[in-house]
Amino acid sequence: MTFKINNSHVGPIDSQTTKRKQKPPARTDETTFQDALRQQISQKQKDPTKGIRLSAHASKRLIERNLTLNDGDIETLRDAMDRAEEKGARESLMLYKDIAFIASISNKTLITAMDPKESKDNIFTNIDSAVILD
């Protein structure tokens, strides 16, 4: 028998008045995890900029230094991030063309960007890898 406390009074609960939780109706348009994964992969392959982000700081630095990246550059950086991730990298210095990036590999984010020619006294800290690209 089940009891209910009501205003400091303990009394039995009528089994007919208790509401049972009903299962939600089954979805007829369910997609499997594998289908969702395939969709995400195909979208990433269609859009080379998908899967890589530019932090506000990196965007600001690129604009300040008049540095530009085209779709091919983004795709090259994304591929380099994927390779670095396979090797276990988490935070990486990425040297590409005449730009140095600090990238969060696990977040697929370019954190900052700089022109290494501007200052020869750059010190890079808190990185666990370096990727040199052509």
Side-chain angles (χ1 to χ4, degrees):
M1 182 176 276
T2 307
F3 293 92
K4 178 180 178 182
I5 300 175
N6 187 10
N7 293 334
S8 302
H9 180 271
V10 178
I13 296 178
D14 184 8
S15 62
Q16 293 178 356
T17 61
T18 59
K19 294 181 182 178
R20 295 183 188 248
K21 291 185 179 180
Q22 295 180 357
K23 291 182 181 179
R27 291 178 50 190
T28 57
D29 64 339
E30 279 192 43
T31 58
T32 65
F33 174 76
Q34 191 170 10
D35 292 338
L37 180 62
R38 282 188 188 135
Q39 183 181 8
Q40 289 295 320
I41 290 171
S42 68
Q43 285 178 352
K44 185 177 179 182
Q45 290 171 345
K46 289 177 188 173
D47 184 5
T49 62
K50 196 80 168 176
I52 187 171
R53 291 179 293 213
L54 218 56
S55 72
H57 183 72
S59 297
K60 182 179 173 185
R61 294 293 179 248
L62 287 170
I63 292 167
E64 285 175 356
R65 294 173 172 117
N66 198 25
L67 302 171
T68 59
L69 297 173
N70 61 33
D71 289 342
D73 297 334
I74 297 293
E75 185 175 353
T76 299
L77 290 167
R78 189 198 69 224
D79 291 342
M81 283 184 176
D82 290 342
R83 289 193 325 263
E85 185 175 38
E86 288 172 6
K87 298 285 186 178
R90 293 182 312 264
E91 301 288 327
S92 185
L93 167 66
M94 301 179 78
L95 301 174
Y96 180 64
K97 294 185 177 179
D98 59 345
I99 308 169
F101 295 99
I102 299 295
S104 171
I105 302 301
S106 56
N107 294 332
K108 301 283 193 224
T109 303
L110 297 175
I111 299 169
T112 192
M114 63 193 79
D115 182 355
K117 296 174 188 170
E118 284 182 12
S119 174
K120 299 293 180 188
D121 297 328
N122 288 326
I123 297 173
F124 301 100
T125 59
N126 297 327
I127 61 171
D128 60 13
S129 60
V131 180
I132 302 170
L133 304 163
D134 291 329

